[in-house]
Amino acid sequence: MQTIWLSGAEWLAVLRIGLGLWWLESWRHKDKKGWFQRGTGIAWAADVAGKHRWGVVRTGFRRVVEPRPKAMAYLVVNAELALGLGLVVGFLTPVALVAGLLLNLLYLVLMIHDWAEQGQNAMMALIPLVALVAMAWQTWSLDAALGLFR
């Protein structure tokens, strides 16, 4: 593979780190007080899910998320932080990539009718898939330094 400036593995590391920074920005700009104390994030998602045209989304949200809004708020916010940190430093990278792909697919399905969000959701689903199959943890990562996931 020929590339400009960096090797292919280094460009994949740049992609992985960029995705991690994207997750960290998603975490950083959240109103944590609103999410944790007032339940604003889960209330907004409940409103979106309640109007969703797919019954499986409405039912799934009602059964899984609504009974435990505080736990789900902590899960979502802290998952974004963990994903960001894991991808930036390259620690447990395959786990972070799979978890990020799944979380983003949940976001994609929940907000399938919001066209303004779909470009971001599509790219945040494609990037971890590419990074996973290309093993983007081989360069500039704690996984590589520790000899994990060879």
Side-chain angles (χ1 to χ4, degrees):
M1 169 192 289
Q2 288 186 320
T3 63
I4 297 172
W5 192 41
L6 301 173
S7 72
E10 289 169 336
W11 279 118
L12 286 167
V14 168
L15 188 66
R16 182 199 82 230
I17 292 165
L19 179 62
L21 292 172
W22 204 337
W23 279 116
L24 287 175
E25 175 56 20
S26 182
W27 172 81
R28 186 199 64 80
H29 83 264
K30 278 193 174 32
D31 173 10
K32 276 74 158 188
K33 196 174 203 177
W35 271 75
F36 299 146
Q37 294 176 7
R38 297 187 310 276
T40 57
I42 299 301
W44 169 82
D47 183 56
V48 172
K51 296 174 186 171
H52 209 284
R53 72 174 83 153
W54 298 348
V56 67
V57 173
R58 290 190 307 272
T59 302
F61 196 92
R62 230 178 282 125
R63 288 185 183 163
V64 176
V65 180
E66 280 184 11
R68 45 192 80 75
K70 196 165 202 87
M72 289 296 158
Y74 277 95
L75 180 67
V76 168
V77 172
N78 291 319
E80 290 182 355
L81 175 61
L83 289 168
L85 292 173
L87 293 170
V88 167
V89 302
F91 184 64
L92 300 177
T93 309
V95 175
L97 289 168
V98 169
L101 176 61
L102 293 174
L103 182 59
N104 194 255
L105 288 175
L106 285 171
Y107 291 171
L108 183 90
V109 169
L110 178 63
M111 300 191 24
I112 199 77
H113 310 301
D114 184 347
W115 292 107
E117 290 288 323
Q118 291 315 307
Q120 174 179 315
N121 287 324
M123 288 302 99
M124 286 189 72
L126 178 61
I127 293 168
L129 182 62
V130 169
L132 186 64
V133 299
M135 298 171 39
W137 53 88
Q138 297 176 70
T139 301
W140 301 342
S141 73
L142 289 176
D143 291 336
L146 297 171
L148 302 175
F149 309 109
R150 291 183 178 213

